[in-house]
Amino acid sequence: MKHFLFILLCILYIPFAFGQKEAAIWYFGQNAGLDFNSGTPVALTNGELNTVEGCASISDSDGNLLFYTDGVRVWDRTHQVMPNGTGLYGHSSSTQSAIIVPRPNVPDRYYIFTVDHDIGSRGLNYSELDMTLNGGLGDITALKNIQLFTPTAEKITAVKHANNQDIWVITHGKANDAFLSFLVTPTGVVTTPIISNVGLFLTNATLTSSNHLGYLKASPDGTKLVAAHYQIGTDLLSFNSLTGVVSNAIPIKHEPAQFYGVEFSPNSRMVYLTNQYALMQFDTEAANVAASEVVLFNVSTYRVWALQLAIDGKIYVNQEYRPYLDVIHNPNAQGLACNYEINAVDLQGRLGLIGLPPFIQSYFLISFNAANFCFGDDTEFSVNASGTISHIEWDFGDGNTSSIEQPSHVYASPGTYTVNVTVTTASETKTESKDITIFSTPIANTITDFEVCSVLPNHQFDLATKNTEILGGQSAAENTVAYYSTLTDAENGTNPLPLMYTNSLSTETVHARITNSNNSACYALTSFDLIVKQAPVLSPVSDWVVCDTDLDGFHTFNLTDKNVEVLGGQNAALFSVSYFETLADAHSGTSPLSTTYTNTAALQELFFRIENTASPECFVTGSFLLEVVTGVTATAPNDLEVCDNNNDGLSTFDLSIQNATVLGAQNPAAHTVSYHASLTDAEAGTNALDASGYISTIPYQET
């Protein structure tokens, strides 16, 4: 067989979380809007949306507007209502009437999740939007107002799953303490929620006194939630972005105040909260979160409502029915250092009202991803930043640096390296650090074929006996070996063969994969053949006895006369037979005897070897005895004659009186003499006559 050996350098890919500018354009309030593409918010006055609270918008990764909604109607980028973009089950008076979530890994498909207002019964629904419809302007598909749960509070948020691909959509039940986490995957929306009963219990309040109002937000890093429950309090909670479970409720404010807007800082540490006339900051890492409160704003001249983090790293604060937004310029900073500014953004005559558009909170995370961690790979790096990057500096932890956004780097040796990236945007300069490990890529050594001789076509191979050969000195504790029937399975690490494996073909290729035990993406492949060769069968063989007719003790045997019996019916074209004087020679196949052989002793053991002619290593050995028996002589005795005195034609003879004459000098104890009526019977030793009382019926008879 021609072997092949190749090393497949792994690609352990962590997908990019999201693009950079999906949250670049906002539409909210009374025809108000903002464009963050330049790094500084620019007022937009072309929006058609007019809503008291609920609203949502989405752009592509380059910051180009795609569509926006109030949870009831959907406008395209030309500010026209889409043909099927009416009648969604949100409500303009729902705190978070809608949030827009792209379908992971499916271009041009989006889901609009809606929640009904406080006294509504429609609960949480979703509708699918296809951007390829309506001439590329988009439209709602037949998947419209698909109910997931009812009733719900006026709360909804979204954050990426721990796998950096899927997205969690989280809401809260009505008249209970249940958080509901729904997973959005490339195949669609998983309709069975993860339900977590934790935190404040929402009573079934009236329209004029509702604790179902108020925002729900996830932290950009996906580890926390903050929920404002109007008139009863606000909780900080833990969120498991792998499982969707909400836990560990920590009271921030539990009192009868009109809690409404909540938001996290970009670094996910600081929480901001409004209760209409006040704006507060809390430190989630403080020993007592509630006690870490810093009041940033507390006046009675106007009210503040929604809070929303933007891609410039700042938090914007809505003023009720005023043409301005306030801004928290440095939300990562503690206390007054966060730099809260009143009337910071002029909406050019448009009014902000109460709500601001929510987004997938992961859009606002500054972090970096790495891919390809096997030694010899180009390790690739990328950054997720909320806003336009003005400068970036990478330190790969081995003395090498880069100032491009998506660099790649080849490490000189395996090991753990601390990678730092410093990102400067319009709002901040932030350094993120992460340890990455470059793992050794194993070497799959060339393996000899696994050949066996078997009388059956199928043989059970112990594949593990090849491990040492494959490892070739590499540590068995640090590398694992597995075997596969196809190259595809070996490359994917799927459907490994059992180590005790029975072949199905006489020649069958097995692919071996040696994998770094600490990183399954680092592996190498090789292959070998399982070859089953037909082995001969050993059958009983009789001894070969001959008479020494010339009395010299030797006899010349034609050994090929024994071949048929030795083969025992096996194909002489497939197997050959040879003979040897010693067992060692038979096993080694050396010094075979000539086909004509003269014995060396009267009783001698002779060995034979049956081997597969094409595969001589497949053989069996056996033996039989050669016995040369000393010959006998017969001396002709005198005839026996009697007189028939009574003339009846019958006479009785004692033939044994001839024994001594017949034997001559030969030992009577070692020989027997029998008498026969014919030469044929005598030669065959059959039909012996009664030697002591033979009755003859004819006058003359030869015996």
Side-chain angles (χ1 to χ4, degrees), residues 115-439:
V115 286
D116 203 356
H117 69 310
D118 186 49
I119 62 173
S121 61
R122 290 169 171 173
L124 174 66
N125 294 266
Y126 77 93
S127 301
E128 182 189 53
L129 190 145
D130 184 348
M131 286 302 300
T132 65
L133 300 178
N134 191 27
L137 294 174
D139 199 6
I140 302 296
T141 71
L143 290 176
K144 185 175 181 180
N145 293 326
I146 307 300
Q147 189 175 77
L148 292 172
F149 192 86
T150 190
T152 62
E154 298 180 2
K155 308 174 192 299
I156 193 167
T157 190
V159 71
K160 68 180 179 181
H161 186 282
N163 62 17
N164 286 317
Q165 170 185 269
D166 302 334
I167 302 166
W168 290 109
V169 174
I170 309 152
T171 188
H172 196 289
K174 186 174 181 180
N176 56 39
D177 60 354
F179 285 90
L180 301 100
S181 303
F182 291 87
L183 191 61
V184 182
T185 75
T187 59
V189 179
V190 178
T191 58
T192 302
I194 305 299
I195 300 177
S196 306
N197 295 97
V198 61
L200 283 166
F201 192 98
L202 309 190
T203 60
N204 196 9
T206 66
L207 176 62
T208 58
S209 176
S210 174
N211 54 37
H212 299 104
L213 279 63
Y215 273 77
L216 171 66
K217 291 288 183 71
S219 60
D221 66 2
T223 63
K224 307 177 189 73
L225 295 177
V226 60
H229 305 302
Y230 199 75
Q231 293 190 337
I232 61 173
T234 302
D235 282 339
L236 174 70
L237 307 107
S238 297
F239 182 68
N240 188 323
S241 62
L242 177 64
T243 64
V245 172
V246 183
S247 62
N248 189 34
I250 299 173
I252 294 179
K253 290 289 244 185
H254 282 189
E255 59 186 57
Q258 296 172 320
F259 300 111
Y260 190 79
V262 290
E263 186 58 281
F264 284 94
S265 59
N267 64 2
S268 301
R269 176 171 175 172
M270 301 299 171
V271 164
Y272 295 85
L273 168 66
T274 67
N275 71 351
Q276 292 198 21
Y277 295 107
L279 171 64
M280 298 148 279
Q281 180 201 70
F282 299 86
D283 185 352
T284 65
E285 295 184 9
N288 186 329
V289 177
S292 70
E293 176 184 358
V294 175
V295 177
L296 305 175
F297 170 82
N298 190 2
V299 299
S300 60
T301 54
Y302 67 90
R303 297 191 291 179
V304 289
W305 292 85
L307 301 172
Q308 181 58 48
L309 182 59
I311 62 172
D312 61 2
K314 302 180 182 183
I315 294 176
Y316 290 80
V317 185
N318 209 350
Q319 302 178 17
E320 182 180 5
Y321 290 93
R322 288 170 61 86
Y324 301 98
L325 294 183
D326 299 347
V327 176
I328 304 171
H329 288 282
N330 302 304
N332 288 336
Q334 289 182 289
L336 298 179
C338 70
N339 190 14
Y340 175 65
E341 181 184 359
I342 298 173
N343 297 336
V345 178
D346 187 342
L347 299 179
Q348 297 296 311
R350 307 307 191 197
L351 301 180
L353 302 186
I354 295 178
L356 290 174
F359 298 91
I360 298 172
Q361 290 293 96
S362 308
Y363 287 153
F364 310 113
L365 178 68
I366 293 180
S367 64
F368 73 86
N369 296 320
N372 308 339
F373 301 121
C374 299
F375 177 59
D377 285 357
D378 284 328
T379 303
E380 298 175 351
F381 299 90
S382 64
V383 69
N384 301 311
S386 56
T388 302
I389 297 173
S390 59
H391 182 74
I392 189 169
E393 187 69 27
W394 294 89
D395 181 344
F396 299 121
D398 64 350
N400 292 286
T401 62
S402 175
S403 58
I404 63 177
E405 287 193 22
Q406 296 185 13
S408 62
H409 180 61
V410 178
Y411 286 90
S413 61
T416 298
Y417 301 88
T418 299
V419 179
N420 293 284
V421 60
T422 300
V423 178
T424 300
T425 65
S427 63
E428 63 178 340
T429 296
K430 183 178 180 181
T431 297
E432 288 291 326
S433 179
K434 184 185 297 184
D435 287 343
I436 69 167
T437 299
I438 303 299
F439 296 90

